[in-house]
Amino acid sequence: MTSTTCFFSPPSPFILKRTTFSSPRSNFTVIKCSNLSSEPYPIYTSVKSFAPATVANLGPGFDFLGCAVDGIGDTVSISVDPNVHPGQISITHISGDNNNKLSKNPIYNCAGIAAIEVMKMLSIRSVGLSLQLHKGLPLGSGLGSSAASAAAAAVAVNEIFGGKLGFEELVTASLKSEEKVSGYHADNVAPAIMGGFVLIQSYEPLTLINLKFPGDKDLFFVLVTPEFEAPTKKMRAALPTEIGMPHHVWNCSQAGALVASVLQGDVECLGKALSSDKIVEPRRAPLIPGMEAVKRAALQAGAFGCTISGAGPTVVAVIDDEAKGKIIGQHMVEAFLKDGNLKASAKVRQLDRIGARLISSSKD
Amino acid sequence: MTSTTCFFSPPSPFILKRTTFSSPRSNFTVIKCSNLSSEPYPIYTSVKSFAPATVANLGPGFDFLGCAVDGIGDTVSISVDPNVHPGQISITHISGDNNNKLSKNPIYNCAGIAAIEVMKMLSIRSVGLSLQLHKGLPLGSGLGSSAASAAAAAVAVNEIFGGKLGFEELVTASLKSEEKVSGYHADNVAPAIMGGFVLIQSYEPLTLINLKFPGDKDLFFVLVTPEFEAPTKKMRAALPTEIGMPHHVWNCSQAGALVASVLQGDVECLGKALSSDKIVEPRRAPLIPGMEAVKRAALQAGAFGCTISGAGPTVVAVIDDEAKGKIIGQHMVEAFLKDGNLKASAKVRQLDRIGARLISSSKD
């Protein structure tokens, strides 16, 4: 094996017990572990998984709300590999990382870290795996690139061993990856894994609320990404440490309105709430050249709302019609060029309601 | 006329135009005014209305969320009175105000102020009204006593003239009353008028979101009121002026969870969120003797959550079963006596889904 493999000490052997919660806020399948040995065997020889891009923060939903968007994301292939030491994982190939920034050492790679965590949770000791990562998302764009890699890997490893872990375990495993890359926040990994909108109510214990956007309503995201780097650390350093009570109450009420509008399928209200952040966006927007003009352009072109996606630099607007979304995107791209002197590209995407999933599997 | 009447200058004559919004978040009937004369005539000679008690704040819903509780509230009777100068209102009787604290001068009385505002909105110039108020709610208890008086009066005046105003106008009229008594906050008057849970998204323009709690779910409030005065001003002075970012994010996420749990009918999650405020309750609880012990007692007795109702001193716990609610109430009363040296009384009430309404009318 090469230096790209990673050995880990498996935890005490445990047995997995599947429990389905009937809580109306979620239908998680949660695995409870007890100290008995039951290492699962792979049910496939190889699998391929996909995890979507995600938009975190959503204005007043800062640090606790995110959603998945369809059609763009990362892909992970996992194979049972007799050349890899049992209990280890090897990253054999990474594509789509145009700047070669990603490490093939699993403990320094988002997909690798999440894959290792899932193997630990499943107590895998007898099987070695190789992993191939295809980046469909640009790094540091504010679209949950690291979360998509982690989510795709977590789901792939889980599925190759029979899908014994539930959403919460997969989010927990992916959080280990996020912790090393951008901080212990689940607002990208949770929607990347679960799809739709997810609210993170608490971390101890991890409590996730799946906010179901009505199936009969249309919601489109206009995602405009400028050629500009907005490092998460710099964007986080821009945040205020103290918030005045009036702004706190305002943002709390907008967060409540945002949640209500998602559950009630009111895209106009959703846009209004998403657009109304008085705490984070005002500090971060000036760090993205042209952002304020881009937001104005989006709203003038008919968007219901507009804010920074994640920590930026992607700007996200919402609308209920794809054709209108394309026009809004053009106006936003023009504003980035005119006011920010930045080239930008626009995409119009729907809400992804599924989250990370297997896209192929083989038993050969 | 006696000194208890109030004359006001009617605004420019206007015509009322009824518009029904089709927004999924509400079905408000909103009246738009233009400068043409169309004074409505009374369709009844007298009406009686009721407005329920309300629980505002609900922990992390501080200053923007409230709900109505059934079976307790204030009653207002309004009659066309030829002895009252046209365009004026006279408060002829107040009952249930055991300490005689309430003024019969309409401009200093919650019901009077709201009644005057509705008469202004309707441009009433030709009819005089007399008003009788029955207080079913104790003053300063944290159960929206002033809001109930205002809401009942606003609805009564509106109904006697044919119900031409919608929820938003009635809330706006009642807000004039709240402004004079306890501050410009709609988190009591909005649910008192509209029933159920109401989120106040903004004041300029007034934007209210009706959060529909599912009809097939049970929700009970255990309301425990100690014999103790907690003046709203003192309770407001206890609030922090600045809030650290972690607590802001925490309370925002709990506010989101609270809204989600209402719409999803998840009483357990609702209780957890309501109980989780890290900003307001920790400052106010020490000002209510025994409050912390009362909360512990409620949770130990099985309540899903517990916090201060409004600005207190009433403490509210939530549960999904009436019998359990009564037991929880007993434990809370005992804790108030033991740890706060305060006598207290407990009530178990359901969510009021209707809000202020006409309970009788006469054309005689």
Side-chain angles (χ1 to χ4, degrees):
Chain A
M1 286 295 17
T2 71
S3 64
T4 61
T5 61
C6 170
F7 184 82
F8 59 84
S9 306
S12 309
F14 56 83
I15 195 163
L16 300 168
K17 189 180 167 191
R18 186 175 288 251
T19 312
T20 301
F21 280 4
S22 62
S23 164
R25 69 180 183 276
S26 60
N27 285 303
F28 297 138
T29 299
V30 174
I31 305 296
K32 294 185 175 175
C33 309
S34 58
N35 286 323
L36 287 170
S37 176
S38 173
E39 181 185 351
Y41 292 101
I43 63 167
Y44 302 111
T45 52
S46 66
V47 296
K48 186 186 279 192
S49 65
F50 170 84
T54 44
V55 175
N57 294 342
L58 293 159
F62 177 70
D63 261 8
F64 68 87
L65 193 63
C67 65
V69 294
D70 77 345
I72 44 171
D74 287 359
T75 308
V76 164
S77 300
I78 297 263
S79 302
V80 173
D81 192 338
N83 295 319
V84 179
H85 194 283
Q88 293 187 22
I89 191 157
S90 167
I91 297 179
T92 54
H93 187 68
I94 298 174
S95 60
D97 171 25
N98 298 330
N99 298 318
N100 288 316
K101 282 192 173 178
L102 297 179
S103 171
K104 280 191 182 171
N105 185 334
I107 63 169
Y108 298 121
N109 180 290
C110 298
I113 299 166
I116 290 167
E117 286 302 315
V118 173
M119 291 180 82
K120 279 185 187 173
M121 285 177 171
L122 293 171
S123 206
I124 302 302
R125 298 180 304 269
S126 312
V127 175
L129 299 174
S130 62
L131 183 154
Q132 296 181 13
L133 168 65
H134 176 69
K135 291 295 303 174
L137 296 175
L139 275 60
S141 59
L143 289 169
S145 171
S146 60
S149 294
V155 165
V157 175
N158 186 41
E159 291 297 331
I160 208 167
F161 290 106
K164 298 191 182 298
L165 301 182
F167 283 147
E168 290 184 3
E169 283 72 20
L170 297 175
V171 172
T172 301
S174 302
L175 260 171
K176 287 277 180 184
S177 164
E178 289 290 83
E179 186 177 16
K180 290 198 183 170
V181 177
S182 58
Y184 199 77
H185 298 288
D187 45 350
N188 285 112
V189 287
I193 286 171
M194 296 161 66
F197 288 86
V198 182
L199 186 156
I200 294 93
Q201 187 179 6
S202 67
Y203 287 91
E204 295 288 344
L206 183 64
T207 308
L208 307 169
I209 302 180
N210 196 336
L211 304 175
K212 194 172 182 306
F213 186 80
D216 59 344
K217 302 270 183 177
D218 284 326
L219 170 59
F220 292 89
F221 299 90
V222 186
L223 302 165
V224 179
T225 307
E227 292 180 359
F228 177 75
E229 196 177 353
T232 302
K233 278 188 183 173
K234 191 178 169 189
M235 297 306 267
R236 195 157 277 277
L239 300 175
T241 52
E242 299 277 320
I243 294 141
M245 183 60 96
H247 278 185
H248 163 70
V249 170
W250 172 263
N251 261 43
C252 263
S253 66
Q254 302 311 308
L258 189 58
V259 168
S261 62
V262 169
L263 290 169
Q264 295 178 329
D266 185 341
V267 182
E268 197 170 341
C269 182
L270 192 161
K272 188 178 160 190
L274 168 143
S275 223
S276 67
D277 170 21
K278 288 187 178 178
I279 295 171
V280 176
E281 191 190 305
R283 296 291 193 104
R284 287 181 165 177
L287 302 181
I288 303 171
M291 164 64 202
E292 286 157 17
V294 171
K295 180 169 181 167
R296 275 197 306 276
L299 298 176
Q300 280 167 9
F304 292 146
C306 180
T307 191
I308 302 166
S309 176
T314 295
V315 180
V316 58
V318 292
I319 191 71
D320 57 357
D321 179 276
E322 188 170 14
K324 284 184 196 166
K326 287 182 179 171
I327 295 167
I328 291 164
Q330 287 166 3
H331 284 270
M332 292 168 73
V333 167
E334 285 166 16
F336 253 133
L337 192 60
K338 189 179 168 196
D339 281 75
N341 201 27
L342 293 175
K343 284 186 186 172
S345 59
K347 295 181 194 75
V348 181
R349 302 290 173 181
Q350 284 197 79
L351 181 68
D352 178 298
R353 298 169 189 264
I354 303 165
R357 62 269 202 179
L358 217 56
I359 51 175
S360 68
S361 59
S362 171
K363 294 190 176 184
D364 296 337
Chain B
M1 290 293 15
T2 70
S3 63
T4 61
T5 61
C6 169
F7 184 81
F8 59 84
S9 306
S12 310
F14 56 83
I15 195 163
L16 300 168
K17 188 179 167 191
R18 187 175 289 250
T19 310
T20 301
F21 281 3
S22 62
S23 164
R25 67 180 184 276
S26 60
N27 284 304
F28 297 137
T29 298
V30 173
I31 305 296
K32 294 184 177 176
C33 308
S34 59
N35 286 323
L36 288 170
S37 176
S38 174
E39 181 186 352
Y41 293 100
I43 62 167
Y44 302 111
T45 51
S46 66
V47 295
K48 187 185 277 191
S49 66
F50 170 84
T54 44
V55 175
N57 294 341
L58 295 158
F62 177 69
D63 261 8
F64 68 87
L65 193 63
C67 65
V69 295
D70 78 346
I72 44 172
D74 287 359
T75 308
V76 164
S77 300
I78 297 264
S79 303
V80 172
D81 192 339
N83 295 320
V84 179
H85 193 285
Q88 293 187 21
I89 191 158
S90 166
I91 297 179
T92 54
H93 187 68
I94 298 174
S95 59
D97 170 25
N98 297 330
N99 299 318
N100 288 317
K101 283 192 172 178
L102 297 179
S103 171
K104 280 191 181 173
N105 185 333
I107 64 168
Y108 299 122
N109 180 289
C110 298
I113 299 166
I116 290 167
E117 286 302 314
V118 174
M119 290 180 82
K120 279 185 187 174
M121 286 178 171
L122 293 172
S123 205
I124 303 301
R125 298 181 304 269
S126 312
V127 175
L129 299 174
S130 61
L131 183 154
Q132 296 182 13
L133 168 64
H134 177 70
K135 291 295 301 174
L137 295 174
L139 275 60
S141 60
L143 289 170
S145 171
S146 60
S149 293
V155 165
V157 175
N158 186 42
E159 290 297 330
I160 208 168
F161 290 106
K164 297 190 181 301
L165 301 182
F167 284 147
E168 290 185 4
E169 283 72 19
L170 297 176
V171 172
T172 301
S174 302
L175 260 170
K176 287 277 181 184
S177 164
E178 289 290 82
E179 187 178 15
K180 290 199 183 171
V181 177
S182 58
Y184 199 75
H185 298 288
D187 45 348
N188 285 111
V189 286
I193 286 171
M194 297 161 64
F197 287 86
V198 182
L199 186 155
I200 294 94
Q201 188 179 4
S202 67
Y203 286 92
E204 294 288 343
L206 182 65
T207 308
L208 307 169
I209 302 180
N210 196 336
L211 305 174
K212 194 173 181 303
F213 186 80
D216 59 345
K217 301 272 185 175
D218 285 325
L219 170 59
F220 292 91
F221 299 91
V222 185
L223 302 165
V224 179
T225 307
E227 293 180 359
F228 177 74
E229 196 177 353
T232 301
K233 278 188 183 173
K234 190 178 170 190
M235 297 306 267
R236 195 157 276 278
L239 299 175
T241 52
E242 299 277 321
I243 295 140
M245 182 60 97
H247 278 185
H248 164 69
V249 171
W250 172 263
N251 261 43
C252 263
S253 66
Q254 301 311 308
L258 188 59
V259 168
S261 62
V262 169
L263 290 169
Q264 296 178 329
D266 185 340
V267 183
E268 196 170 342
C269 183
L270 192 160
K272 189 179 159 190
L274 167 143
S275 223
S276 67
D277 170 22
K278 287 187 178 178
I279 294 172
V280 176
E281 190 190 304
R283 296 291 192 106
R284 287 181 165 178
L287 303 181
I288 303 171
M291 164 64 203
E292 285 157 18
V294 170
K295 180 169 181 166
R296 277 198 304 278
L299 298 176
Q300 281 168 8
F304 292 145
C306 179
T307 191
I308 301 167
S309 176
T314 295
V315 180
V316 57
V318 292
I319 191 70
D320 58 357
D321 179 277
E322 188 170 13
K324 284 184 195 165
K326 287 182 179 171
I327 295 167
I328 291 164
Q330 288 166 4
H331 284 270
M332 292 168 74
V333 167
E334 285 164 17
F336 253 134
L337 192 60
K338 189 180 168 195
D339 281 75
N341 200 28
L342 293 176
K343 284 186 186 172
S345 60
K347 296 180 194 73
V348 182
R349 302 289 173 182
Q350 284 196 80
L351 181 68
D352 178 298
R353 298 170 189 263
I354 303 166
R357 62 267 202 181
L358 217 56
I359 51 176
S360 68
S361 60
S362 172
K363 294 188 177 187
D364 297 336

